[in-house]
Structure formats: structure tokens, C-alpha cells
Amino acid sequence: MAVYVALGAFLMTLAGGWTAQRVTDRRHLVLGLAGGLMLGVVGLDLLPEALDAAGTEVFGVPAALLLFVTGFLLAHLVERLPAAHGGDEHHRTPEVGLTAAGAMVVHSAMDGVAIGAAFQIGEGMGVAVALAVVAHDFADGFNTFTITTLYGNARRRAIAMLFADAVAPVVGAASTLLLSIPEPVLGGYLGLFGGALLYLAAAEILPEAHHKHPVGPTLLCTVGGAAFMWLVVGIAE
């Protein structure tokens, strides 16, 4: 059942990527929406789950928050390394986009694992988690394609990463038939990934969205993206 449900996430991810491709003539609005979706995913979905799952504290601070800050700093470090070695700090290397999209793929696989684990607890829990995953995988597909192309990767690479992101929940759900990931490890991963994702949204995607474009429509897309994720999380709860 978990694998069949994950197929819904597969289709929603592809739908999100397809939407991102079709609105290239309004790229600033796409980026504004992607930034809002990413902000909503991090603040309303990833970080609360990470805090619940990680549990432990390190020197008075939740481990998930320490990893959240670590993820943010790692993303900043990777982004700025070319400038530190004499490169153009404004040049976005394709490898950064592929790394970020790869992290999205890993996150989608963890979504599939969450579906499988929830169905092991009970059918009601499984359905609730599946609805949340399927709903926000539209945003995952949208963001995966947008991030990959934003950093200068060819369209074929972006489509390949989108397809990998779509397949990942199915693979993750199937893997729960063979193994289970300890909850603290999953929480730590979500914190680390959330920090990196927030950096990309705040330092790269949103500034690019507002560059030489009217503020109003782009800002509305950003707020709308965050509000959409709030709706998804609320329905899932």
C-alpha cells in the first residue's frame, strides 16, 4: 500500500516540474513562488519534524537546530568557495545546483520512507502522512527543476534531476520493507537539509527573483507559496 501511495507523490513531483518549465516567460514570478514554497517547507514542515524526531540536546541546544545552522553554513561555504579561490562570486556553478537538487532527491526518498514507516504504525497514520507528502511533492518538483536551471544547468539535466526526485519516494517507500531508519538520524538529516534549503531560498532564489523586476507581483508569489505550504501542513494535521 505504501508503494502504491508513493506513486501519487511521483506524479505530483512531475506535475510541479512541468509547471516550472511552462512559465519560463515569467521567470521572476516562478522564482518568487519557489522561494516562498521553500520557506514554507523549511519553517512549517522540515524544522518542526526535525525537532520532534531528533529529540536530544547538545550543550543546551536541540541537535536539530545545531544541524540546521550547520546546513545553512555549509551551503554558504559551498557557494562562496569559488570567490575565495579567485573566482567570480556572482557566478553560479552548475555543480551547486546539482548538489542542491540531489539533496532534494534524498529528501524525497526520506518522504517515501516516512510513508512506509507510517503505514507500519497503522493505516490511518499512513494515509495522513501520505496526503502531506503527496501535496508538498508538487513543491518539491517545482523547486528541483527551478534550482537546477537557476545555476546554469542544461534543461536535460534539470529533467533528469526532476525524474530522480519523482522516483525517490517510491524507492524510499519500498525500502521500508527491508530496513528502518532510526528516528534521531532522520531528524538530524531534516535539520541539516532545512538549513541548506533556507540558505538557497534567502540568499539566492529570492534576490534573483526581485532583480530588475517589479516588487509587488513577485512578493505576492512568495507569500502565496509560503501560505500554500501552511495550508498543506494544516490539512495534513
Side-chain angles (χ1 to χ4, degrees):
M1 178 61 71
V3 175
Y4 289 138
V5 170
L7 290 174
F10 171 86
L11 295 175
M12 286 297 286
T13 302
L14 292 181
W18 180 84
T19 301
Q21 294 180 62
R22 298 296 295 179
V23 291
T24 52
D25 57 332
R26 293 289 184 268
R27 185 168 178 269
H28 60 291
L29 299 180
V30 172
L31 293 175
L33 179 61
L37 289 171
M38 291 167 71
L39 175 62
V41 167
V42 172
L44 305 177
D45 186 20
L46 291 183
L47 198 52
E49 287 187 18
L51 288 170
D52 287 341
T56 59
E57 291 189 355
V58 180
F59 202 60
V61 178
L65 290 182
L66 287 175
L67 287 167
F68 178 80
V69 173
T70 301
F72 189 98
L73 293 175
L74 283 175
H76 178 63
L77 178 64
V78 170
E79 178 69 11
R80 296 304 172 186
L81 275 178
H85 288 86
D88 181 4
E89 64 175 346
H90 298 293
H91 176 65
R92 295 186 173 89
T93 61
E95 291 76 17
V96 173
L98 290 176
T99 300
M104 295 290 291
V105 173
V106 174
H107 169 59
S108 292
M110 293 300 102
D111 281 346
V113 170
I115 292 175
F119 270 102
Q120 290 179 7
I121 296 173
E123 186 172 336
M125 177 67 73
V127 171
V129 172
L131 286 175
V133 169
V134 170
H136 92 248
D137 270 354
F138 180 88
D140 283 352
F142 191 98
N143 290 336
T144 297
F145 186 87
T146 301
I147 290 172
T148 307
T149 55
L150 177 64
Y151 282 81
N153 288 283
R155 184 173 178 272
R156 59 181 178 81
R157 282 190 174 182
I159 292 176
M161 294 307 298
L162 173 64
F163 185 77
D165 190 46
V167 171
V170 182
V171 175
S175 72
T176 59
L177 301 175
L178 304 174
L179 54 90
S180 61
I181 298 177
E183 192 174 8
V185 174
L186 181 59
Y189 161 75
L190 291 176
L192 187 72
F193 174 61
L197 200 62
L198 182 62
Y199 176 83
L200 292 175
E204 295 294 329
I205 290 181
L206 289 178
E208 179 70 15
H210 289 280
H211 182 62
K212 297 181 180 179
H213 291 291
V215 173
T218 306
L219 183 59
L220 284 176
C221 286
T222 302
V223 173
F228 172 76
M229 287 311 306
W230 183 17
L231 178 65
V232 168
V233 172
I235 291 174
E237 294 295 331

